[in-house]
Amino acid sequence: MIGNAIIGQSGGPTAVINASLYGIMSSALNSGFISRIYGMEYGIQGILDEKIVDLTPLSLSSDFKYLKYTPAAYLGTCRKKLSDDLSDPSYIRIFELLSKNNIKYFFYIGGNDSMDTVNKLQKYSEKIGYEIKIMGIPKTIDNDLSHTDHTPGYGSAAKYIACSMREILFDTEVYDVPSVTVTEIMGRHTGWLTASAVLARRFEGDNPLLFYLPENVFYMDKFLSDIEAAVRINKSLVIAVSEGIKTEDGKFVCDTNSSTDAFGHCKLGGCAQVLTGEINQKLGIKAKSIELSSLQRGAAHFTSLTDINEAAKAGEVAVHRAINGETGKMISLKRIKNYEIIYESVFVEKTSNIEKTMPENYYTGVDISPEFKDYCLPLILGEPRLQFENGLPKYLKRRS
Amino acid sequence: MIGNAIIGQSGGPTAVINASLYGIMSSALNSGFISRIYGMEYGIQGILDEKIVDLTPLSLSSDFKYLKYTPAAYLGTCRKKLSDDLSDPSYIRIFELLSKNNIKYFFYIGGNDSMDTVNKLQKYSEKIGYEIKIMGIPKTIDNDLSHTDHTPGYGSAAKYIACSMREILFDTEVYDVPSVTVTEIMGRHTGWLTASAVLARRFEGDNPLLFYLPENVFYMDKFLSDIEAAVRINKSLVIAVSEGIKTEDGKFVCDTNSSTDAFGHCKLGGCAQVLTGEINQKLGIKAKSIELSSLQRGAAHFTSLTDINEAAKAGEVAVHRAINGETGKMISLKRIKNYEIIYESVFVEKTSNIEKTMPENYYTGVDISPEFKDYCLPLILGEPRLQFENGLPKYLKRRS
């Protein structure tokens, strides 16, 4: 089937979401089946607003290669949720625009919520009999997508977190006074990212000594007694805490001034500060909090080459599969022993709106298991050779 | 004069303070005048506590080369202030230990406060007629030392800040909704570090659009009206704020729960959060704060090669000068046109306890001048080729 393609990015940015865009674009142009490549500005919202751009000139430009190493989302992204009701007028608008531009291939790079969008568009296309191949390319630093060994974006975030955490360990050890450093890490309702901080350890028994994951209920009393005991073992105590930890009543520890996004998700952040306050007050130990903040999802200056290459490959494979007639599917990464990845595809229906938490053998109490280290380590290996300009990595400026 | 040498590190850690240690050690060993090299644990406090270590084995080990790229302070550091009264018993203790170990060369790597220590020890050695050469090697990310073009440590911190800020710019642009991101940067009472964020700009008129430096009095009303105007120009507004900004009455904006260190300095941090609260509340614009935190002083994974080499060279030069008979001096970096550095030495008395603020031609209102960019850019150039192990840069583990 010959026609045009459109690509969208959705959900939170990552350091490698543009590597997937790069993979799709380079593969599409060489396919012989795709004539022009369009991009949606700000995800599906861009189609609704008729904000689409022709990406073909970019793919032919000499700057195209930098796209693979540029952080955030070149096309912009959104948190737009399509209606569950397929008779909603947005679907008509979307498919009018697709038809007008002879779009036969639709690629959407994103996480759980984005796969929900792919799933709905697939159903609507079947309903109206519009011939189109719709593919999802997994992306999230949170690694909470089901039916895939891991998600592109996770490896680079994990590498950045492990490295930053190790540098924090060095920093906390310089003074000869007891201190507790509470490091807050993203990951929403799962502990994948926080667990990656275990790779910062330089030796058995090293910091970070304690991990608090959303997979476990958080008890403040237990937390304070853990801290008291641990600071006796290591006077420069460093701990890793997930932004999404919850107490027994289901409330987020950070839940002071929360708000929700379009998918009804609570905005998280600030639990380290809450915990630091408790340690200072209740235990009288000097404590400080560090939030790794949005840098952990966009630090393209320090990415995993494994992750970048997998992100690009997932994009390429999506194009091949679509051309071969697959639709309504997400590319999935399957791990073969000793670390090799094969790319499969799964019906997106299976994956959308599911959050994959960590398996129980990956953590134990307040520690992370060796099994998790074996799982995570291959994902952070390798470093891209970046081009530099005026002392900074050369990134592709987002279209304005 | 033949004898042993002792080296100390003092004040806040940096990404390159160990490069200076490396420079001193490698130069000392090859000098023919220095027999053994000792290190003080936790700065001058280590001498008072008789915690000194023989560094000679390290300098001969195959791991020695990694010291140059290892963050924080290998020997540990302190904020100990020696008494102004030279008849204080600590001086007797210190010089007893120096004499016992036949120390003829004393190297102290640090900032303003550390130069105060160098100055006092020099005076005491003259008073008692103890023959020793005492040299200070400049170090601080804050760049607030006088009588030197810049300080080792600043270039790497500036590079990390510029890169992180650029990645923040990409991150903030992905959504099609107005937002303000307040980025808090270190630097104590001067704006050198905050100003370096201007290097993140990708084009004329790019973010960060507003800068708030301690060199200017901070007015909250003016700040809010600046924000209101700027967010109309750039819907993804990013601003850079110094931790040490003060209002007209001399109070720190972050001054809610401040405490002080041994030198009477207030511990800073948290002003971005105060400002974000004001923006949310008074202007009703979505705002978030990012503190670059201690990562900006210890991110050895992303340093300036220029800075690393200068830090090491400053250490080497200190050894040469000491052997040539200089004492009571600090190594100073002098810039020759088109960026070349020559190393001089200045009497430490001139530099200790002085904070060098930014010259007025380096900033104007809420912007940073092109003159500052010309000053700062050469300092962030070049990238070391790091060795990696398990996906992370190989650093030398601090002695335990």
Side-chain angles (χ1 to χ4, degrees):
Chain A
M1 183 168 67
I2 292 181
N4 295 328
I6 196 163
I7 312 171
Q9 297 175 310
S10 174
T14 80
V16 306
I17 183 170
N18 288 330
S20 289
L21 177 59
Y22 175 89
I24 298 169
M25 286 171 67
S26 48
S27 189
L29 275 180
N30 296 324
S31 69
F33 291 87
I34 293 168
S35 316
R36 295 207 79 78
I37 313 171
Y38 295 99
M40 321 169 197
E41 288 199 329
Y42 306 110
I44 195 69
Q45 188 65 47
I47 300 196
L48 290 165
D49 299 344
E50 293 207 35
K51 284 188 184 166
I52 70 170
V53 299
D54 189 346
L55 292 174
T56 320
L58 170 65
S59 66
L60 301 170
S61 83
S62 63
D63 276 352
F64 180 46
K65 58 182 178 290
Y66 298 116
L67 178 63
K68 194 172 173 185
Y69 306 103
T70 297
Y74 179 75
L75 295 168
T77 168
C78 68
R79 292 211 179 275
K80 171 80 184 166
K81 189 179 171 73
L82 291 176
S83 171
D84 289 333
D85 177 5
L86 293 184
S87 61
D88 186 89
S90 355
Y91 291 100
I92 301 173
R93 277 185 70 80
I94 291 169
F95 278 81
E96 266 174 5
L97 195 88
L98 295 180
S99 168
K100 197 170 102 186
N101 291 284
N102 192 31
I103 306 289
K104 300 291 183 190
Y105 298 97
F106 185 108
F107 302 101
Y108 212 51
I109 315 167
N112 293 311
D113 299 332
S114 312
M115 295 310 143
D116 175 75
T117 300
V118 169
N119 190 30
K120 285 170 176 165
L121 293 176
Q122 174 62 29
K123 287 206 170 124
Y124 185 82
S125 74
E126 288 169 13
K127 183 183 153 189
I128 63 165
Y130 182 102
E131 205 184 358
I132 188 169
K133 305 303 169 195
I134 305 176
M135 296 294 282
I137 295 90
K139 173 274 342 171
T140 167
I141 61 164
D142 299 339
N143 202 36
D144 60 354
L145 261 170
S146 70
H147 294 81
T148 186
D149 177 76
H150 60 278
T151 52
Y154 174 63
S156 292
K159 185 183 181 96
Y160 176 83
I161 289 166
C163 182
S164 297
M165 181 60 94
R166 184 167 287 177
E167 289 167 349
I168 288 169
L169 303 192
F170 277 97
D171 190 86
T172 55
E173 289 165 355
V174 299
Y175 295 116
D176 195 18
V177 282
S179 67
V180 180
T181 303
V182 182
T183 311
E184 178 172 330
I185 297 170
M186 285 180 166
R188 305 192 57 81
H189 309 121
T190 66
W192 296 101
L193 279 177
T194 303
S196 70
V198 77
L199 299 177
R201 285 187 183 155
R202 298 155 295 182
F203 50 87
E204 193 82 22
D206 192 16
N207 273 312
L209 273 183
L210 306 171
F211 290 80
Y212 295 89
L213 313 176
E215 280 81 355
N216 290 320
V217 174
F218 182 85
Y219 298 96
M220 189 64 84
D221 289 352
K222 172 71 167 52
F223 170 77
L224 291 172
S225 66
D226 290 349
I227 296 287
E228 241 184 339
V231 88
R232 260 180 250 132
I233 296 165
N234 192 324
K235 75 166 168 39
S236 307
L237 177 65
V238 180
I239 69 169
V241 178
S242 288
E243 61 177 5
I245 48 169
K246 281 181 189 178
T247 48
E248 215 174 356
D249 53 6
K251 276 196 186 148
F252 289 109
V253 172
C254 65
D255 207 1
T256 41
N257 45 4
S258 63
S259 58
T260 53
D261 68 15
F263 285 86
H265 301 325
C266 170
K267 290 219 167 53
L268 303 173
C271 74
Q273 215 171 18
V274 174
L275 300 179
T276 306
E278 290 285 313
I279 296 167
N280 278 324
Q281 223 173 63
K282 304 269 169 68
L283 304 180
I285 305 168
K286 188 184 136 192
K288 71 168 181 175
S289 63
I290 296 178
E291 271 190 57
L292 290 189
S293 81
S294 60
L295 290 168
Q296 67 199 287
R297 69 184 183 195
H301 73 272
F302 192 74
T303 53
S304 153
L305 185 59
T306 301
D307 188 30
I308 288 193
N309 288 339
E310 288 176 357
K313 185 80 182 170
E316 290 168 26
V317 171
V319 173
H320 300 152
R321 297 287 175 121
I323 286 170
N324 284 335
E326 293 189 29
T327 186
K329 287 182 161 183
M330 180 188 87
I331 300 304
S332 130
L333 282 66
K334 187 172 172 182
R335 180 188 305 227
I336 308 294
K337 264 207 180 310
N338 287 332
Y339 209 70
E340 194 188 320
I341 289 295
I342 54 172
Y343 297 80
E344 303 187 329
S345 55
V346 289
F347 282 106
V348 82
E349 215 160 4
K350 288 188 186 168
T351 67
S352 59
N353 299 316
I354 299 169
E355 280 178 332
K356 184 175 73 179
T357 53
M358 287 176 74
E360 287 184 9
N361 64 325
Y362 280 2
Y363 57 97
T364 148
V366 289
D367 204 356
I368 304 299
S369 72
E371 286 85 349
F372 174 81
K373 284 192 229 177
D374 293 342
Y375 165 82
C376 194
L377 182 59
L379 311 182
I380 73 163
L381 298 182
E383 297 75 39
R385 297 271 331 248
L386 298 174
Q387 296 291 310
F388 278 75
E389 192 178 56
N390 288 329
L392 302 182
K394 189 159 165 57
Y395 300 141
L396 191 64
K397 191 169 93 59
R398 205 167 78 72
R399 341 170 321 87
S400 52
Chain B
M1 184 170 68
I2 292 180
N4 296 328
I6 195 162
I7 312 171
Q9 297 174 311
S10 173
T14 80
V16 306
I17 184 170
N18 288 329
S20 288
L21 176 59
Y22 174 90
I24 297 168
M25 286 171 67
S26 48
S27 190
L29 276 180
N30 297 322
S31 70
F33 291 86
I34 293 168
S35 316
R36 296 205 79 79
I37 312 170
Y38 295 99
M40 323 170 195
E41 289 199 328
Y42 306 108
I44 195 69
Q45 189 65 47
I47 301 195
L48 290 164
D49 298 344
E50 292 206 36
K51 284 187 181 167
I52 70 169
V53 299
D54 189 345
L55 291 174
T56 320
L58 170 65
S59 67
L60 301 171
S61 82
S62 61
D63 276 352
F64 181 45
K65 59 181 178 291
Y66 298 116
L67 178 62
K68 195 172 174 186
Y69 306 103
T70 297
Y74 179 76
L75 295 168
T77 168
C78 69
R79 293 211 179 273
K80 171 81 184 166
K81 189 180 171 70
L82 292 177
S83 172
D84 289 333
D85 177 4
L86 293 183
S87 62
D88 186 90
S90 356
Y91 291 101
I92 300 172
R93 278 185 69 81
I94 291 169
F95 278 81
E96 267 174 5
L97 195 87
L98 294 179
S99 169
K100 197 170 103 184
N101 291 284
N102 192 31
I103 306 288
K104 300 290 182 191
Y105 298 97
F106 185 107
F107 302 101
Y108 212 51
I109 315 166
N112 293 311
D113 300 332
S114 313
M115 295 311 143
D116 175 75
T117 301
V118 169
N119 190 32
K120 285 170 177 165
L121 293 177
Q122 173 63 29
K123 287 203 170 127
Y124 186 82
S125 74
E126 288 168 13
K127 182 182 154 189
I128 64 167
Y130 182 102
E131 203 185 359
I132 187 168
K133 305 302 169 196
I134 305 176
M135 296 294 281
I137 295 91
K139 173 275 340 170
T140 166
I141 62 164
D142 299 339
N143 202 35
D144 60 354
L145 262 169
S146 71
H147 293 82
T148 185
D149 176 76
H150 60 278
T151 51
Y154 174 63
S156 292
K159 185 183 180 97
Y160 176 82
I161 289 166
C163 181
S164 297
M165 181 59 94
R166 183 168 288 178
E167 289 168 347
I168 288 169
L169 302 192
F170 278 98
D171 189 86
T172 56
E173 289 165 355
V174 299
Y175 296 115
D176 195 18
V177 283
S179 67
V180 180
T181 304
V182 182
T183 311
E184 178 172 331
I185 297 169
M186 285 180 165
R188 304 192 58 81
H189 309 122
T190 68
W192 296 100
L193 279 178
T194 302
S196 70
V198 77
L199 299 176
R201 285 187 184 155
R202 298 155 296 183
F203 50 88
E204 193 83 21
D206 192 17
N207 272 311
L209 273 182
L210 305 171
F211 290 80
Y212 295 89
L213 312 176
E215 279 80 355
N216 290 320
V217 174
F218 182 85
Y219 298 97
M220 189 63 84
D221 288 351
K222 173 69 169 54
F223 171 77
L224 290 172
S225 65
D226 290 350
I227 296 286
E228 241 185 339
V231 88
R232 260 179 250 132
I233 296 166
N234 191 326
K235 75 167 167 42
S236 307
L237 178 65
V238 180
I239 69 169
V241 178
S242 288
E243 61 177 5
I245 49 170
K246 282 181 188 177
T247 49
E248 216 174 356
D249 52 6
K251 276 195 185 149
F252 289 110
V253 172
C254 66
D255 207 2
T256 42
N257 44 6
S258 64
S259 57
T260 51
D261 68 16
F263 284 86
H265 301 325
C266 170
K267 290 219 167 53
L268 302 174
C271 74
Q273 216 172 17
V274 173
L275 299 179
T276 306
E278 289 286 313
I279 297 168
N280 279 324
Q281 224 173 60
K282 303 268 171 69
L283 303 180
I285 304 170
K286 189 183 134 190
K288 70 169 182 175
S289 63
I290 296 178
E291 270 190 58
L292 291 189
S293 80
S294 60
L295 290 167
Q296 67 200 289
R297 69 183 183 196
H301 73 272
F302 192 73
T303 52
S304 153
L305 184 60
T306 301
D307 188 31
I308 288 192
N309 288 339
E310 288 176 358
K313 186 79 182 170
E316 288 168 27
V317 172
V319 173
H320 300 151
R321 298 286 177 122
I323 286 169
N324 284 336
E326 293 189 30
T327 187
K329 287 182 162 183
M330 180 188 87
I331 301 304
S332 131
L333 283 65
K334 188 172 173 181
R335 180 187 308 225
I336 307 295
K337 264 207 180 310
N338 286 331
Y339 209 70
E340 194 187 319
I341 289 295
I342 54 172
Y343 297 80
E344 303 188 326
S345 55
V346 289
F347 282 106
V348 81
E349 214 162 5
K350 289 189 185 167
T351 68
S352 59
N353 299 316
I354 298 170
E355 280 178 332
K356 183 176 72 178
T357 53
M358 288 176 74
E360 286 185 10
N361 63 324
Y362 280 1
Y363 58 98
T364 148
V366 288
D367 205 358
I368 303 300
S369 73
E371 286 85 349
F372 174 81
K373 284 192 230 177
D374 293 343
Y375 165 83
C376 194
L377 182 59
L379 311 182
I380 73 163
L381 298 183
E383 297 75 40
R385 298 270 332 247
L386 299 173
Q387 296 291 311
F388 279 76
E389 191 178 57
N390 288 329
L392 301 181
K394 189 158 166 59
Y395 300 141
L396 192 65
K397 191 169 93 57
R398 203 166 78 73
R399 343 167 321 87
S400 51

